[in-house]
Amino acid sequence: MNDARTPEGPLVCARCGKTADTLPLTWTCSVENGRRTYFCEDCARANIRSIEGRLDSSWW
């Protein structure tokens, strides 16, 4: 079941560490090993093929 909860507190990009107070529409969310992670627009754009291929972020 999809969980559309809005994350609380400041968000941190799992790749570069960029922060945001609220979830920007341009950020990407991924669930890896049962844990929800977020990626900023720049990191998502740079790795979009790996994200669409459902590769774990540790691979890219």
Side-chain angles (χ1 to χ4, degrees), residues 20-59:
D21 291 330
T22 60
L23 181 60
L25 293 175
T26 55
W27 280 38
T28 301
C29 175
S30 175
V31 177
E32 299 177 11
N33 299 321
R35 193 172 137 243
R36 194 178 287 252
T37 56
Y38 295 91
F39 300 98
C40 70
E41 179 179 6
D42 295 332
C43 291
R45 284 180 182 257
N47 297 288
I48 193 69
R49 288 183 188 224
S50 297
I51 293 169
E52 288 177 345
R54 298 185 182 255
L55 298 173
D56 282 345
S57 60
S58 60
W59 186 85

Side-chain angles (χ1 to χ4, degrees), residues 1-24:
M1 176 179 216
N2 291 336
D3 187 2
R5 287 181 292 173
T6 302
E8 295 187 20
L11 296 169
V12 178
C13 175
R15 188 100 175 131
C16 71
K18 186 183 286 185
T19 61
D21 291 330
T22 60
L23 181 60

